[in-house]
Amino acid sequence: MKNILFVASEGVPFIKTGGLADVVGSLPKCIDKKYFDVRVILPKYTCMKQEMKDKLEYVTHFYMDFHWKNEYVGVLKAEVDGVKYYFIDNEMFFGGFTPYGDNALYEIEKFAFFSKAALSILPIIDFRPDVIHCHDWQTGLVPVYLKERFQGNEFFRGIKSIMTIHNLKFQGKWSVQEVKDITGLPDYFFTSDKLEAYKDANILKGGIVYADAITTVSQTYADEIKTAFYGENLDGLLRAREHDLRGIVNGIDYDEFNPATDKNIPHPYNAINFRKEKVKNKTDLQKELGLKVDEKKMMIGIVSRLTDQKGFDLIAYIMDELCHDEVQIVVLGTGEERYENMFRHFDWKYNDKVSANIYYSDPLSHKIYAASDAFLMPSLFEPCGLSQLMSLRYGTVPIVRETGGLKDTVEPYNEYNSTGTGFSFVNYNAHEMLGTIRYAEKIYYDKKREWNKIIDRAMATDFSWNVSAKKYMEMYDWLIG
Ligand code: GLC
């Protein structure tokens, strides 16, 4: 039996702000329990839902040296679908209304504490991982601490680590002086071949330098981040480590996202009966959201964090033009105020065509995947993207920009040889996107049989974890040797 430990800042079903939580919640379940004992460590946030907090069981607590103080470290546990979860409790660090705050320095302190605590609890819970699998900058100090500070202890010697990049944009950067103070790491670590980058300390960089292997969540993103445009100033380092860097595309939980059994949608359907059944979800949603009820009208869904990563500048630019087409646009999500207000504005201006739902709701997201004809995701960059996978699963045709995981998972429609599962465009250009949307409209309205065949192919793709979980297992085996 080999032991694998996930360390992450969020995970479904306990706490979620984005796709990271979906991956941390679904991948461990798909790692073969005959060969691997997989456990997960998360922070115990005060803002977790009460029903989740009620599931946690106290294990122990102790005090840990951190940032010149002796800090309380509580340990709790829970088990979900055969996966054991541990939670690090400290209400000072994890007591906010949301998992992440906007004080960058404090975020570094919080997750430095989390990273050190995650290692410190291992001897106490008597779990010695063969591999620690770290996710995003919040856990970037785990490989660093592991390689140096904890090496004095026999227990930690030989433990391997993996750094998975879900989003290179967030790195955890602050002045060297203060990060040195917080982490307790000596000068030695703050040189340009280690944690220092462009005069600052950079936590993710530390993780990338010290991890035994680096992964990211699609092959195209793994290639892209070695270039200046996508590399977020770490492309040089990623090129230097390219032999240890691989792209493994994310999957989604095919039980949770299944149009045939989904409890959130009024009219379940499958790959055989979608031609009759799927549209009933559309008319229901039109009623629910106050849009014009018309089963023929093409509905375009958007479910997303409203950040510039997701390409909303392109949408804002052509929204007026698009709204003159025969389409309905349904939006769900929160984020940057400028995008929230943009959608509110168009909802007001084109009330029977646009429905802006500026909040987050899991049930409504499922209804939108089921009801929409197309799903729009024109990201500026996209490490993997999960919504396009959910769309494919629900027979909702994705319209995407060819970047990162979007490029790897959506095959562009080709009308000459009748292939493809969606529509895509290359350049980050609003009218290139609009042209692609209009091409999709044309197929939808004028060639319905072709459109339905795109849906056939979309629903026949397999982006469950089957294939990708195997790749992670192979990597664990290879690292352990
Ligand atoms: C981040 C990325 C997204 C990816 C997700 C899970 O949210 O932006 O592309 O799918 O992490 O890996």
Side-chain angles (χ1 to χ4, degrees):
M1 190 60 94
K2 291 163 181 170
N3 293 341
I4 310 295
L5 177 71
F6 277 57
V7 186
S9 56
E10 53 180 283
V12 166
F14 296 100
I15 185 87
K16 167 170 169 172
T17 72
L20 168 62
D22 290 304
V23 173
V24 171
S26 54
L27 172 57
K29 285 196 271 186
C30 303
I31 301 293
D32 195 336
K33 293 188 186 56
K34 283 206 290 290
Y35 304 101
F36 297 97
D37 180 347
V38 186
R39 306 192 189 185
V40 183
I41 299 185
L42 300 170
K44 176 186 176 277
Y45 297 106
T46 308
C47 62
M48 270 164 37
K49 283 206 198 83
Q50 192 58 42
E51 61 171 295
M52 284 303 150
K53 284 194 273 193
D54 292 343
K55 292 204 162 84
L56 312 188
E57 197 185 308
Y58 173 84
V59 178
T60 184
H61 76 270
F62 58 94
Y63 286 82
M64 178 181 85
D65 282 338
F66 180 76
H67 199 186
W68 310 108
K69 291 189 281 281
N70 221 335
E71 295 286 4
Y72 174 88
V73 180
V75 184
L76 296 94
K77 67 173 183 184
E79 191 165 327
V80 184
D81 295 331
V83 179
K84 291 194 175 72
Y85 286 81
Y86 296 92
F87 298 83
I88 307 283
D89 183 21
N90 177 307
E91 294 211 342
M92 185 184 79
F93 285 124
F94 305 128
F97 294 119
T98 51
Y100 312 128
D102 41 25
N103 178 336
L105 179 60
Y106 192 63
E107 292 301 290
I108 289 179
E109 184 173 4
K110 175 156 105 186
F111 290 108
F113 168 80
F114 174 62
S115 299
K116 189 173 179 190
L119 290 172
S120 302
I121 72 167
L122 298 177
I124 295 166
I125 61 172
D126 194 23
F127 183 70
R128 185 195 175 278
D130 295 288
V131 176
I132 303 185
H133 191 162
C134 307
H135 299 268
D136 274 356
W137 82 265
Q138 290 88 348
T139 56
L141 284 171
V142 170
V144 182
Y145 281 142
L146 184 65
K147 271 281 154 61
E148 301 296 331
R149 148 166 314 230
F150 284 83
Q151 288 303 297
N153 181 339
E154 181 65 35
F155 179 92
F156 291 94
R157 224 164 282 155
I159 297 179
K160 298 284 203 268
S161 63
I162 300 172
M163 188 78 236
T164 292
I165 301 166
H166 297 263
N167 195 331
L168 191 60
K169 184 149 185 162
F170 304 108
Q171 302 179 353
K173 294 185 274 198
W174 202 260
S175 78
V176 168
Q177 196 47 51
E178 281 172 281
V179 173
K180 210 189 291 177
D181 207 47
I182 288 170
T183 58
L185 293 165
D187 283 333
Y188 168 84
F189 287 95
F190 296 91
T191 57
S192 61
D193 58 336
K194 305 188 192 77
L195 267 70
E196 190 263 0
Y198 302 91
K199 302 244 176 339
D200 277 335
N202 184 317
I203 306 287
L204 180 65
K205 184 177 180 192
I208 295 173
V209 168
Y210 281 95
D212 297 288
I214 305 150
T215 76
T216 184
V217 288
S218 70
Q219 185 52 53
T220 293
Y221 194 60
D223 296 333
E224 286 172 340
I225 57 179
K226 289 185 277 181
T227 68
F229 183 80
Y230 293 100
E232 303 288 348
N233 285 329
L234 293 180
D235 46 301
L237 170 63
L238 291 160
R239 284 196 297 278
R241 293 219 61 188
E242 68 180 341
H243 297 295
D244 302 308
L245 165 66
R246 66 182 89 180
I248 301 178
V249 74
N250 286 332
I252 54 170
D253 186 329
Y254 262 36
D255 296 326
E256 193 188 338
F257 295 96
N258 181 353
T261 57
D262 193 332
K263 297 270 181 300
N264 299 299
I265 66 175
H267 307 281
Y269 57 93
N270 57 36
I272 296 158
N273 66 14
F274 76 84
R275 285 174 175 76
K276 282 211 163 59
E277 296 301 313
K278 183 171 163 50
V279 68
K280 296 180 185 166
N281 292 294
K282 177 159 73 178
T283 46
D284 270 33
L285 190 63
Q286 286 169 332
K287 274 181 220 138
E288 184 180 331
L289 299 179
L291 295 167
K292 185 166 175 228
V293 179
D294 176 353
E295 63 167 53
K296 294 235 155 54
K297 188 84 90 211
M298 180 174 181
M299 182 185 280
I300 303 176
I302 296 173
V303 178
S304 181
R305 285 179 289 123
L306 304 180
T307 67
D308 61 352
Q309 171 192 340
K310 302 292 180 177
F312 290 111
D313 293 325
L314 300 188
I315 297 178
Y317 200 77
I318 54 88
M319 195 65 180
D320 254 315
E321 282 175 81
L322 181 60
C323 287
H324 285 100
D325 291 3
E326 285 298 306
V327 295
Q328 291 179 335
I329 298 156
V330 176
V331 182
L332 174 65
T334 61
E336 290 173 35
E337 232 177 88
R338 51 184 169 147
Y339 301 129
E340 295 186 345
N341 290 336
M342 183 268 288
F343 283 121
R344 285 191 186 108
H345 167 77
F346 287 108
D347 181 322
W348 163 80
K349 191 165 174 189
Y350 302 98
N351 195 258
D352 61 339
K353 282 190 153 176
V354 178
S355 168
N357 305 277
I358 308 302
Y359 55 92
Y360 189 74
S361 150
D362 229 34
L364 182 57
S365 75
H366 286 241
K367 286 186 198 170
I368 295 175
Y369 290 122
S372 303
D373 297 294
F375 189 86
L376 181 59
M377 201 168 171
S379 305
L380 173 60
F381 68 94
E382 198 58 77
C384 176
L386 301 173
S387 332
Q388 84 279 16
L389 305 181
M390 296 161 190
S391 300
L392 290 167
R393 176 82 166 143
Y394 281 72
T396 300
V397 177
I399 303 175
V400 303
R401 190 169 91 83
E402 290 172 22
T403 185
L406 298 174
K407 184 171 176 189
D408 295 350
T409 57
V410 177
E411 189 196 338
Y413 172 60
N414 180 323
E415 64 180 88
Y416 302 103
N417 50 20
S418 216
T419 54
T421 56
F423 293 81
S424 61
F425 61 101
V426 176
N427 297 298
Y428 195 71
N429 174 301
H431 279 97
E432 199 172 314
M433 175 183 75
L434 183 61
T436 305
I437 298 173
R438 288 190 165 152
Y439 178 41
E441 289 172 29
K442 196 165 125 19
I443 305 297
Y444 173 85
Y445 283 113
D446 302 346
K447 297 191 174 168
K448 206 34 170 285
R449 302 187 72 196
E450 277 292 295
W451 182 267
N452 282 334
K453 283 191 211 153
I454 300 176
I455 300 181
D456 282 331
R457 291 189 293 270
M459 292 184 85
T461 57
D462 181 2
F463 290 104
S464 67
W465 275 106
N466 283 342
V467 177
S468 294
K470 264 198 206 91
K471 292 190 180 159
Y472 279 111
M473 289 188 262
E474 278 162 24
M475 183 172 59
Y476 298 151
D477 277 331
W478 169 78
L479 272 176
I480 296 165

